[in-house]
Amino acid sequence: MRRFRRLRTSESMRRLVRETHVEKSDLIYPVFITEGKEIKNPVESMPGVFQYSIDMLSEILDRVAESGISGILVFGIPNHKDEQATEAYNPDGITQRAVRYIKSRYPELIIIADVCLCEYTSHGHCGVVCGEKILNDETLPLLSKMAVSLAEAGADIIAPSDMMDGRVAAIRNALDENGFADTPVLSYSAKFASAYYSPFRDAAQSAPGFGDRKTYQMDCANGREALREIEDDIEEGADMVMVKPALAYLDLVRAAKDRFSLPIAAYNVSGEYSMVKAAAKLGFIDEKKIVMENLISIKRAGADIIITYHALDAAEWLEEQK
Ligand code: PBG
Ligand code: ZN
């Protein structure tokens, strides 16, 4: 008889035949940075996640630096928001100042800069707005300026998350023309209009003031279209591509891995985090086991890079397992 159970008889045997391993170096931790001083605001819907002012960042970044994870994804939250998202590309904006500070204090950490206008616009949309319409081509120059200013500040990777068409080519061009030919682009290529982002919109104060994001983010029903988006971003010059959210979209992580040879990232988003934290708090699940199972599954599906709010906890648990 074929006995699959022979290879499951002990933890040592299981470890010997284990196919997938999550490494600390796979992980990226998102950080929210706010203006002002001595601020450490808890994000209510994301237990364990805080908004920090720059002077308070060392509290979390010292932990990140010691943890062995690869780096952080930075989200700045400006005080001033307007129609043209001017703070997004202000060389002295909150995000640019934060990136400069982090690069000088923690040179070995990879800093990924999220490039999108929604935290900076008065209406909370990811692009320039005219009436109720979110304009595509008018948004590209602003995204390009934002990308260049963040590269100048010291960002190691530029990650456009706006879902405007043609933004990867526009940003690549702008980076090249401004002396940043060596700065890679990680495109949020297959980014779905998802209810899993709602806790993030509290954390980054970026909820749209009217309507929704369905004219630019993807319909959750469309898998083949996601592959076209990814293919197009690769043609436009993306160095890495992302699927977002992760857990409900692992079919696309796998499909992308099978079709394309560049690194694939998956974003284990705010709502996925909040659901685990809430159920764990109620005692309905074992947080550590659920988190590790989720991360292994994202990796098994094909992700090379996992962006997750669990990164620091996971790094500790991986260390314990050694
Ligand atoms: C900005 C952006 C969002 C997220 C990452 N970058 C929000 C959105 O598109 O509404 C979501 C991340 C998360 O939910 O953890 N466009
Ligand atoms: Zn946005």
Side-chain angles (χ1 to χ4, degrees), residues 192-199 271:
F192 290 87
S194 171
Y196 283 103
Y197 306 153
S198 57

Side-chain angles (χ1 to χ4, degrees), residues 114 116 118 161 191 197 200-201 213 217 244 270 309:
D114 186 276
C116 194
C118 54
S161 73
K191 178 173 178 179
Y197 306 153
F200 173 93
R201 291 175 188 170
R213 304 209 200 285
Q217 297 181 351
K244 177 188 173 190
S270 57
Y309 303 95

Side-chain angles (χ1 to χ4, degrees), residues 12-49:
S12 307
M13 188 70 82
R14 292 189 291 272
R15 199 174 61 177
L16 178 70
V17 299
R18 191 157 291 147
E19 298 175 24
T20 308
H21 300 268
V22 172
E23 315 272 352
K24 294 181 199 172
S25 58
D26 302 330
L27 305 178
I28 297 287
Y29 184 65
V31 178
F32 300 98
I33 303 150
T34 187
E35 305 211 38
K37 281 203 164 53
E38 290 179 31
I39 294 172
K40 182 189 175 186
N41 274 338
V43 178
E44 200 182 296
S45 52
M46 301 178 73
V49 173

